[in-house]
Amino acid sequence: MPRIEENLQAVRERIAAACARCGRDPAEVTLVAVTKTVTDIEVAELYRLGVRDFGENRVADGLVRKNGLAADDARWHLIGHLQRNKAADALVGGFLRIHSVESAKLIAVLDKECAKLGVTAEILLEVNVSGEESKYGVTPDGAEALARQAAACPNLTVAGLMTMAPFTDDPETARPYFRRLAELRDDLAARLGVALPHLSMGMTGDFEVAIEEGATLVRVGTALFR
């Protein structure tokens, strides 16, 4: 599929250019290919081209994608809102990195289900930096309490923070929100005395700005498949 190969090369070049502008190593940034609207054939083509990280918004859809690809070295990220009654399904299905943890109740359920399965899940705390009512996420003021609860769970590893900036045609308008998340991550890491290496932020329209502000995980779909 020449189109996907060309798109992937273009995205990788944009990642490299954004890293060059801010003095970062492109190896610090993981491209998470968002596959929620594409075919199994397209997912398999990305895998053939070297992509190993894939993101899905819904557990059921993600399990279909994962089973269709059937690649043991593919890493599946749950990037959409996770309902507590779907937590066990996500973990059993192999979603051991969950970007969208935003409540104390969900943390408790994930820890309990991980204990049952004998696994450890890596989680990111979703923070609603923009304050938009349409978005999920803990408030910035509530992030520390949530992080402390999660850090105390023996079956969870708190790896960082995630956010979604407001949708806009101008990626520069997203910069303050990404910068705020990075500042919050640094503050929480210092207060808790733990490493929080990841910032999941940036999508097709604004991932370059997100990288310039410290993103380590960028969630890109449209730019890969359009």
Side-chain angles (χ1 to χ4, degrees):
M1 293 183 177
R3 174 177 58 86
I4 290 181
E5 186 169 4
E6 292 169 4
N7 289 347
L8 176 60
Q9 180 61 30
V11 168
R12 285 173 168 165
E13 290 174 356
R14 290 169 64 186
I15 289 173
C19 287
R21 288 194 295 272
C22 59
R24 297 181 63 192
D25 183 346
E28 298 174 6
V29 180
T30 297
L31 170 63
V32 179
V34 180
T35 57
K36 63 179 181 177
T37 61
V38 301
T39 67
D40 288 349
I41 293 173
E42 290 171 307
V43 175
E45 177 66 4
L46 272 185
Y47 179 85
R48 186 189 70 80
L49 294 168
V51 174
R52 291 296 180 269
D53 290 87
F54 299 91
E56 275 288 343
N57 281 42
R58 299 177 61 180
V59 173
D61 294 341
L63 295 179
V64 171
R65 294 278 187 232
K66 182 175 182 291
N67 293 335
L69 185 61
D72 291 340
D73 61 341
R75 295 174 291 271
W76 290 86
H77 303 240
L78 190 66
I79 60 175
H81 178 65
L82 177 60
Q83 296 175 316
R84 296 195 299 277
N85 63 358
K86 298 295 183 181
D89 292 341
L91 296 169
V92 170
F95 286 98
L96 297 182
R97 177 177 279 172
I98 301 171
H99 292 223
S100 50
V101 177
E102 44 86 31
S103 74
K105 290 181 179 179
L106 179 57
I107 287 172
V109 169
L110 285 169
D111 188 50
K112 179 180 177 181
E113 295 298 335
C114 281
K116 290 180 182 178
L117 295 169
V119 299
T120 299
E122 182 177 285
I123 67 170
L124 305 177
L125 303 181
E126 183 174 5
V127 184
N128 186 350
V129 178
S130 69
E132 294 176 282
E133 292 185 1
S134 60
K135 287 184 168 58
Y136 291 104
V138 65
T139 65
D141 288 343
E144 181 176 348
L146 203 63
R148 288 189 181 279
Q149 178 197 349
C153 293
N155 305 295
L156 302 178
T157 298
V158 187
L161 306 179
M162 179 268 235
T163 200
M164 293 180 64
F167 292 109
T168 174
D169 292 331
D170 180 5
E172 278 298 321
T173 63
R175 190 180 297 276
Y177 303 103
F178 297 148
R179 184 169 296 171
R180 176 71 181 101
L181 191 75
E183 292 170 347
L184 180 61
R185 185 274 308 272
D186 293 345
D187 183 56
L188 287 176
R191 287 176 178 270
L192 274 64
V194 297
L196 297 173
H198 287 301
L199 290 172
S200 172
M201 57 190 195
M203 300 186 292
T204 287
D206 54 22
F207 71 82
E208 291 149 303
V209 171
I211 289 169
E212 292 170 3
E213 295 300 331
T216 63
L217 298 157
V218 292
R219 312 179 303 270
V220 179
T222 303
L224 293 170
F225 299 109
R226 63 188 172 195

